[in-house]
Amino acid sequence: MHGMRRGLGTGMAANGVPVDTVAQVLGHKGTKATKQYISTDLQSLRCCTLDFDSLGGGV
């Protein structure tokens, strides 16, 4: 069951559903318990990173 709930939570989050909505669907009172059911794929993580060139101080 945990695998199915994790898949549902991850899929919803990947499609832009707010975490508080995911929590409600999974039957959680708050978002703290929901975090264990949401994993992020590598492509989504890349959207949150900075390119080294953007840091400045080039050599």
Side-chain angles (χ1 to χ4, degrees):
M1 284 302 277
H2 285 288
M4 291 174 62
R5 290 171 61 89
R6 184 178 179 93
L8 175 62
T10 299
M12 291 176 71
N15 285 304
V17 176
V19 176
D20 57 333
T21 303
V22 176
Q24 290 176 358
V25 170
L26 295 178
H28 299 150
K29 292 182 181 180
T31 59
K32 186 175 181 180
T34 307
K35 292 178 184 178
Q36 69 180 342
Y37 291 97
I38 297 174
S39 63
T40 306
D41 62 320
L42 189 56
Q43 187 62 32
S44 296
L45 287 174
R46 285 185 178 136
C47 293
C48 301
T49 61
L50 296 173
D51 189 323
F52 284 114
D53 294 334
S54 67
L55 299 176
V59 181

